[in-house]
Amino acid sequence: MLLGLFVGFVALGVWQIERLAWKTELIAQVDARVHAAPTPAPGPVQWATVTRQKDQYRRVVLTGTYRHDRETLVQAVTEAGGGFWVMTPLADERGFTVLVNRGFVPPGRKAPGARADGQTQGPQTVVGLLRITEPKGGFLRANDATGDLWRSRDVAAIAARRGLGDVAPYFVDADATPNPGGWPLGGLTVIRFPNSHLVYALTWFGMALLSLVGLGLFRREWRRADRKAGV
């Protein structure tokens, strides 16, 4: 049994080392995307190939006109406090719509009239990070489309609720370029990847070592018992 535990713990440790290599590479890739020059946001021809693995946090640029009358507020907790993300459809000049997370507003700025200066008109150029849709809702809290209560940025559900047409399957977090009047407040995207795989690996290898120690103690006691039985 102890030998079986030893083999199992070593296997788990090796698996965590493999996960560590994968996570380290992922962090490096995302860091490169975030600091790269922006490229045009993917159009309809590319939508089918957009994936979390290769496109999440990719820096993109798009130009179009905001449809402020169809914005959606999504509950948010940020370094600026609790409030809402302002998700506004942008009619891209290429003929499709992209949901843009223009940034954060506190509860006192929830109403569009409380941030009228930020309701920019005419063609706008937006630089930001491509984000993959967040379907269904937040942790233990589902979206309520009927009640217009949103806990996650579910692109398809928001697009259906707002009656939008040809909508990209992703959204874009706008960068920190100030909006007129200061609201919404962009550039608050949190990029954080927990990376505790080395600690987990050392834990499993430590358990494997303890299994060997236990095996040695067991064999010693077994031999001692045999000697006593022989006497």
Side-chain angles (χ1 to χ4, degrees):
M1 182 185 69
L2 288 171
L3 281 175
L5 288 174
F6 170 77
V7 172
F9 289 143
V10 168
L12 288 170
V14 171
W15 176 62
Q16 287 297 333
I17 291 296
E18 293 172 348
R19 295 280 293 174
L20 173 63
W22 166 78
K23 183 64 70 66
T24 301
E25 177 62 20
L26 174 63
I27 292 172
Q29 290 176 359
V30 169
D31 186 66
R33 292 175 203 160
V34 169
H35 295 97
T39 57
V45 174
Q46 303 163 294
W47 289 351
T49 63
V50 173
T51 65
R52 184 180 303 275
Q53 182 175 1
K54 71 179 182 64
D55 294 299
Q56 180 85 302
Y57 302 115
R58 172 179 155 193
R59 198 157 174 248
V60 298
V61 59
L62 59 163
T63 299
T65 304
Y66 282 123
R67 304 177 66 181
H68 296 292
D69 61 321
R70 302 197 184 190
E71 73 176 23
T72 297
L73 299 176
V74 179
Q75 292 180 0
V77 177
T78 73
E79 62 184 43
F84 303 90
W85 297 123
V86 179
M87 304 292 293
T88 307
L90 183 139
D92 192 280
E93 60 183 8
R94 292 172 287 174
F96 58 90
T97 298
V98 178
L99 277 181
V100 175
N101 175 13
R102 300 187 63 215
F104 169 82
V105 292
R109 300 280 182 173
K110 179 179 180 180
R115 45 185 164 85
D117 289 343
Q119 303 294 87
T120 50
Q121 304 298 316
Q124 306 289 322
T125 296
V126 179
V127 176
L129 301 179
L130 186 151
R131 302 294 307 280
I132 303 301
T133 183
E134 301 167 346
K136 297 184 179 180
F139 181 66
L140 298 179
R141 300 186 304 166
N143 289 324
D144 179 6
T146 302
D148 210 21
L149 184 61
W150 304 92
R151 279 104 178 196
S152 75
R153 293 160 291 190
D154 185 335
V155 171
I158 291 173
R161 183 71 175 84
R162 293 291 175 261
L164 303 176
D166 205 11
V167 181
Y170 57 83
F171 64 94
V172 172
D173 277 350
D175 66 11
T177 301
N179 287 301
W183 303 101
L185 181 63
L188 295 180
T189 304
V190 175
I191 303 175
R192 183 183 299 121
F193 295 95
N195 191 9
S196 302
H197 297 295
L198 180 59
V199 174
Y200 296 151
L202 292 176
T203 299
W204 290 124
F205 288 139
M207 295 294 288
L209 180 61
L210 288 176
S211 297
L212 286 182
V213 171
L215 178 61
L217 292 174
F218 176 79
R219 287 172 60 84
R220 186 183 68 181
E221 292 302 317
W222 183 279
R223 289 173 179 172
R224 181 179 298 172
D226 278 350
R227 286 196 297 269
K228 288 183 178 180
V231 173

